[in-house]
């Protein structure tokens, strides 16, 4: 069965510290991987996808096929990064995103 | 553009009552989705519609029905609400079923007592 795990429900870091939000997946085939973010009082929105190898708002995410992980990283956390983050694999042939349980990130001033 | 809109924003139902959650998008997207979000469970797909005139079950369809009224609108109906359906419901849309990005509505918070 398709499965995605975000082991940390809550994560707090100080402003300026590095942050890593973990995501592990269990999928047959090679899924596409995405990170979605929900800021306070805003809608869930796409943050980044692995295939584009982009950096959005200073965040990057590397797909590690050996470890089946897609951790989200930022070298220097900012207060405006406080939000709920969801890892979302999507099978290349399937029709569904499978959202993880989410990690609530708090950046302490 | 309003993007994806949902009504109502909040609703309280008694067990056994029925209601319909409305969703509309103005982005000319072909595909639309309904999710529920429960604490510790993430978002789970209830139903989706690949295109106008088609609907398919997602991960947790029991107790729900959907209607793709036209390209813009996708409604979710609870025929006989149960406390287990207390949740936050999100509608989303994408250009196509294989679309790389889904656009979400603001959510409907439903409580069933």
């Amino acid at each position: 069965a398709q499965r995605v795990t975000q082991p940390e429900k809550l994560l707090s870091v100080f402003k300026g510290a590095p942050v890593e939000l973990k995501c592990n997946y269990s999928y047959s085939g090679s899924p596409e991987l995405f990170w979605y973010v929900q800021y306070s009082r805003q809608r869930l929105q796409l943050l980044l996808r692995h295939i584009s190898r982009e950096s959005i708002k200073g965040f990057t995410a590397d797909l590690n096929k050996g470890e089946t992980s897609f951790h989200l990283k930022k070298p220097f956390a900012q207060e405006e990064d406080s939000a709920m983050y969801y890892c979302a694999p999507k099978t290349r042939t399937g029709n569904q995103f499978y959202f993880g349980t989410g990690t609530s990130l708090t950046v302490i001033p | 553009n309003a993007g994806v809109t949902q009504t109502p924003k909040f609703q309280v139902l008694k067990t056994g009552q029925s209601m319909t959650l409305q969703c509309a998008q103005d982005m000319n997207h072909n595909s639309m989705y309904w999710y529920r979000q429960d604490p510790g469970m993430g978002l789970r797909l209830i139903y989706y519609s690949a295109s106008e005139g088609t609907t398919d079950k997602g991960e947790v369809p029991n107790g729900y029905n959907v209607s793709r009224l036209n390209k813009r609108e996708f409604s979710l109906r609870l025929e006989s609400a149960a406390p287990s359906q207390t949740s936050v419901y999100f509608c989303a849309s994408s250009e196509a079923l294989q679309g790389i990005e889904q656009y979400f509505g603001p959510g409907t918070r439903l409580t069933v007592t």
Side-chain angles (χ1 to χ4, degrees), chain A residues 9 32 34 36 38 43-46 49 86 90-101, chain B residues 2 4 33 35 37 40-43 45 48 57-58 90 97-102 104-106:
Chain A
K9 288 187 178 180
E32 296 183 74
F34 302 79
Y36 276 77
Q38 188 172 24
R43 304 176 185 207
L44 192 63
Q45 58 188 288
L46 179 66
R49 55 191 174 109
Y86 294 93
K90 183 175 183 291
T91 58
R92 294 183 187 274
T93 56
N95 304 323
Q96 301 183 25
F97 282 88
Y98 290 88
F99 286 86
T101 52
Chain B
V4 180
Y33 313 81
Y35 292 90
Q37 183 183 42
M41 300 291 287
L43 278 80
L45 184 65
Y48 65 97
K57 295 178 180 179
F90 289 97
L97 205 55
Q98 297 298 323
I100 60 171
E101 181 172 1
Q102 293 189 0
F104 283 81

